[in-house]
Amino acid sequence: AQRVTQPEKLLSVFKGAPVELKCNYSYSGSPELFWYVQYSRQRLQLLLRHISRESIKGFTADLNKGETSFHLKKPFAQEEDSAMYYCALNRTGANSKLTFGKGITLSVRP
Amino acid sequence: EPEVTQTPSHQVTQMGQEVILRCVPISNHLYFYWYRQILGQKVEFLVSFYNNEISEKSEIFDDQFSVERPDGSNFTLKIRSTKLEDSAMYFCATLAGLAGVHETQYFGPGTRLLVL
């Protein structure tokens, strides 16, 4: 079974503070991990995926297979980062379903 | 940039009524999905569709639900006899399905369904 756990519901930080959004997963096979973001009144959109190993809008996430984690990090949060963030996984290379975590609301205060 | 569109954006219906939610995928995408999100809960997979047939479905997707792509463009989710617990945001997602390319699912804006 696939499972994604995002242990926190809300993270509130001041602008310029570091951010870490936690994600742990459970999957017996080889997973592909994603972070999706949903800004206010907008659709879910892909932020980044572990296979790309890139930084998007200053965010990075490293897949740690030993800890089965895929935490999302940004060294200096901006107000425009305020949004709902979802961690998700599916089977590597497959066109199969995404399994989502419950999501976390990031609030960046000025 | 092409986007997945969904209609209607909101629908209110009486319990027991049939509803049809519509999705227009990105052109040339081959894989289609429906997800739902009950208020305050996680986004849950309902069904995936490829080559005019269901490729995978969750335990949520019971006999009350059906999907089809009747005209080669719209991808629809039908709930035959709605229940109160069907109230949720329903998201359509599509994926190109290009072999050998790491892809992502593109989501529509959602349809908010309220069953009274």
Side-chain angles (χ1 to χ4, degrees), chain A residues 14-44:
Chain A
F14 285 107
K15 177 181 169 182
V19 164
E20 181 178 65
L21 307 182
K22 291 183 168 37
C23 173
N24 288 89
Y25 67 91
S26 171
Y27 183 59
S28 56
S30 181
E32 187 160 8
L33 275 294
F34 307 83
W35 276 99
Y36 277 81
V37 61
Q38 188 173 31
Y39 300 104
S40 179
R41 301 179 192 275
Q42 295 187 29
R43 66 188 65 203
L44 272 167

Side-chain angles (χ1 to χ4, degrees), chain B residues 11 13-21 34-36 46 60-67 76-90 111 113-115:
Chain B
Q11 178 144 8
T13 190
Q14 295 290 324
M15 190 169 59
Q17 295 297 302
E18 175 184 285
V19 295
I20 298 177
L21 310 183
W34 283 103
Y35 295 83
R36 79 170 185 193
L46 291 178
I60 302 168
F61 194 87
D62 62 21
D63 291 343
Q64 295 297 320
F65 292 88
S66 63
V67 288
T76 63
L77 174 69
K78 183 190 294 185
I79 309 175
R80 192 177 335 137
S81 177
T82 50
K83 309 186 195 77
L84 296 176
E85 53 265 36
D86 293 327
S87 296
M89 182 73 108
Y90 288 81
T111 292
L113 176 66
L114 177 61
V115 182

Side-chain angles (χ1 to χ4, degrees), chain A residues 18-109:
Chain A
V19 164
E20 181 178 65
L21 307 182
K22 291 183 168 37
C23 173
N24 288 89
Y25 67 91
S26 171
Y27 183 59
S28 56
S30 181
E32 187 160 8
L33 275 294
F34 307 83
W35 276 99
Y36 277 81
V37 61
Q38 188 173 31
Y39 300 104
S40 179
R41 301 179 192 275
Q42 295 187 29
R43 66 188 65 203
L44 272 167
Q45 54 188 284
L46 179 70
L47 179 63
L48 54 79
R49 58 200 301 165
H50 89 268
I51 211 147
S52 302
R53 294 181 172 275
E54 57 190 345
S55 172
I56 305 291
K57 298 185 180 183
F59 285 97
T60 59
D62 291 316
L63 180 62
N64 185 323
K65 291 187 178 179
E67 295 183 358
T68 60
S69 68
F70 188 58
H71 303 326
L72 184 67
K73 299 177 185 178
K74 183 168 183 176
F76 308 104
Q78 303 299 315
E79 288 177 68
E80 55 265 30
D81 296 327
S82 295
M84 193 80 176
Y85 291 80
Y86 296 92
C87 184
L89 76 78
N90 72 1
R91 286 182 288 129
T92 297
N95 301 313
S96 64
K97 65 180 182 183
L98 286 166
T99 298
F100 285 87
K102 287 188 174 181
I104 180 170
T105 300
L106 174 64
S107 173
V108 182
R109 293 169 286 170

